[in-house]
Amino acid sequence: ALLRSLEPDARFPAYVERVGVLFDLAQSRVRELLDAVSRVMQSPWEEGRVPGVRLLHFDGGPRLATADCGLVYIEADVSYPGHRHRGDEWSLVLQGEAEEDGGRLWAAGDLVHRPAGSSHSFHTLGQVPFVFAVAVHDGIEYESD
């Protein structure tokens, strides 16, 4: 713990263990991924299909070998379009807040499950970017596709 406290700019320390369990990853790998949020405008982050959205894809551990795993960074006051989940999706909110089209609020620390076949859209709230870790099984389909 003392050595970790000396590390510069460690991001989201309260979530290291939870992200490790969610993605079946060692805590050292989780720290690398979470620290990458401070470099969101650099590679390997990529632009999402919606302006203001950046994505960082990574491989999950053995339990998530077939899932699409990643970090999602969404600027404040951005609407994410309607989409349907072909498989289960698990998201852990790391920073910020968002509101789904049905009124459900997401905030830092929330673990959100979207079951296969569900659909939704959401809008980020507040003045800080909305950041979450996500594991998507079998992908999603956008309403505009």
Side-chain angles (χ1 to χ4, degrees):
L2 177 61
L3 289 177
R4 278 197 303 270
S5 71
L6 299 175
E7 292 176 6
D9 238 5
R11 297 296 304 253
F12 311 111
Y15 298 112
V16 171
E17 185 174 343
R18 290 180 71 192
V19 172
V21 170
L22 180 63
F23 292 103
D24 196 21
L25 293 173
Q27 290 188 6
S28 58
R29 176 64 175 138
V30 171
R31 282 188 199 93
E32 290 173 8
L33 292 166
L34 296 179
D35 287 346
V37 174
S38 63
R39 299 178 302 280
V40 72
M41 297 310 289
Q42 300 172 9
S43 180
W45 285 87
E46 58 188 58
E47 289 184 39
R49 68 184 286 137
V50 175
V53 176
R54 305 278 299 168
L55 308 168
L56 175 66
H57 297 279
F58 59 86
D59 293 329
R63 283 188 301 102
L64 284 96
T66 61
D68 183 11
C69 300
L71 295 175
V72 180
Y73 176 100
I74 305 176
E75 294 174 2
D77 197 31
V78 169
S79 291
Y80 200 84
H83 56 281
R84 187 178 71 80
H85 297 271
R86 291 193 294 247
D88 286 336
E89 175 184 88
W90 290 92
S91 301
L92 176 61
V93 180
L94 304 173
Q95 174 182 289
E97 296 180 325
E99 183 177 10
E100 284 187 294
D101 52 357
R104 181 178 179 183
L105 294 176
W106 298 356
D110 288 348
L111 180 62
V112 180
H113 175 238
R114 299 298 305 175
S118 64
S119 62
H120 68 129
S121 62
F122 61 89
H123 186 86
T124 60
L125 305 173
Q127 302 298 312
V128 298
F130 183 62
V131 180
F132 61 98
V134 64
V136 178
H137 299 270
D138 297 324
I140 58 177
E141 297 170 348
Y142 288 90
E143 291 177 358
S144 61
D145 289 347

